[in-house]
Amino acid sequence: MPRALIAVLTLILPLTAADLLSAPGASAATPTKPEVTSSGAFEGNWVPSAEGNKAVPCNGLMGNGGLVLTAGLRDNDGGTVTPRFVVTTAAGAAVPVSDVTPVPSGGTATAKVLARNLPTGGYKWKVRAKDQEGAYSAYTAACAFSVDADAPAEPVTVTKEDGSDLTTQPVRTKMRLKFKNPATDLAGFCWSMDHPLSVSSPPCGGNNWIPLANGATEATLEVNLTVSPRHTLAVRAFDKAGNGSTTTDISLATSPASFVYAAGQTPLNGTRTDLLGDLNGDGFVDLLGPEADGGLRFYAGNGAGRVRSRVVAESGWKGALIAHGGDFVGFTGSSAAPDGFEDVMARLSDNKLYVYPGNGQGDPSYATRRELAPPAGLGSAGWGRLQQILAPGDLDQRTDDGFRKGNDLAVVECVDDACSAARLRVYSGRTLSDGSADQTKPFDFKSPAFTGGTSWKSYTILGIGDQNGDGVKDILARNKLDGKLYLYPGRIAADGTFGLAPRATYAAGGWQPGVRPVIVSRGNAQGTVVSKTITSDGQVIPYKQFQPKAGDQQGDLWATTPADPELVVNYVTSGGRAATTTCPTGCLLFYPGGLTGFRAPLLVGASGWATSVTNLF
């Protein structure tokens, strides 16, 4: 090739990367200085991507928890990068920085400033990066912040709302308290009942927070009293910088709960427990309803078929099978004695069966729930085979030791994983010598007290109660295929075992799930609660007693209608007059029970019953 052509090609062809790096002055054209890509300050501690990190922004205020500084570092040459954090007082005096961590390029370095080196005052901080070759980046802009290292000096005082001393209050009542602290820069009060205050970051994480207006020094709090003989209340005051006072621990003394006794029973011959089906202790049966979004509603009965609702859980109950009937555990935990309050059993979407202690006011306790292991006979699916669970009270009426007056568990369970058929089983409730439930083994899962055949797959059990008045509980069930309701009379055989007599038609047709989507019976729901007294050893004892409505001692029924704007719903008014309505979003009907069938229903819910809940228990 001619030398002149070679010279021309050399001029016009691009240089290789190696040529560029070896060319004179090339190193100056390539950025090699390290960089600070991000920086931040946090009070107390710092964990990558943790929600609990408490940031200290520029011009922000922090408390006495010490400081963690962070910096994202990068070096185009690779290798290790070291941060150079500088912290000074507002006047420029250096503040010690410790635990500085070098990181590979692309990492996040940290350093600490101990709380003892940050007394109350103003400060500034900045950071730059240094690479392995000794090159430095520029400093970040100085970030000013302030420290309030002085926590509220006095503990919180707790009194009644009117400022008077605390006194013993009855269980199942509400008590209004006053929190007070003399500090003038308070942000709020942090409190907990019956468990220690969390020490997580940020302050009060996982506990209850009462915010305060600027300059306020006191707040009021209403607490539910649910256990006897006392609750333990813990409370701290926090200032705006996040500093907390010492913890105040207060004992709220309580007297035992009062109970409504069944008709014919008194404190001398009745048990100190809520009536079967009554979750809030007012003497009337109640309902629970899971919502489509996973919430849970409590429906308090009023003794006339009407209910009022409130949300008792926000999530976790979607598709749950629920039962309530009897006291199995204490509200505060498995070591607490049964308290007389009705508890809740639930098979959740994880196919596990739990006992939720009730607080006597309609709230099941998630914190102290207990899981029940399934019988081995259910196989690997365990409680996933259940179609229904019911808590009927003492259904089998066993009189042998360890089972006398025990509250039982009834289930409809598939015979195999494919659910080719389903059986009804009754697991006897176990009791201790004092008559209370055996908390460690509440049911006899090894030896069912009754297995009622394998033809229950197409049936929904609506309720279990004494419908025919013979003293033995009966089973009311819906055939989902023919739309009829059947009554299976209960009977106690000569050997003392529970069984079912031949069924009778209780309602002929019109009860298919498409016509009445949700149906539930909690036994007799009609009556009043009266105040009475009884004298024992010269002492007059006041008590309350449930009295069934005359002529309405049998079990009653609630049923919903579908969301159908064209469907005409027939009912009777409270005065007995026939009426009709439509229910575009579903209605709730209440059917008074009788010996041989239900009477015409009352309209007790005019809207939302096809959309608000997916079931009733």
Side-chain angles (χ1 to χ4, degrees), residues 328-342:
F328 302 97
V329 293
F331 179 70
T332 56
S334 59
S335 61
D339 43 29
F341 302 150
E342 183 151 290

Side-chain angles (χ1 to χ4, degrees), residues 251-314:
S251 179
L252 302 177
T254 57
S255 57
S258 60
F259 297 94
V260 176
Y261 291 87
Q265 293 186 340
T266 74
L268 302 183
N269 65 3
T271 58
R272 291 185 56 80
T273 60
D274 285 328
L275 298 180
L276 196 69
D278 179 13
L279 285 161
N280 65 358
D282 62 0
F284 306 124
V285 295
D286 307 311
L287 303 175
L288 290 171
E291 299 174 305
D293 63 359
L296 181 68
R297 285 186 175 269
F298 165 62
Y299 294 89
N302 74 341
R306 297 190 176 274
V307 293
R308 66 184 188 279
S309 77
R310 64 180 174 86
V311 175
V312 294
E314 297 289 347

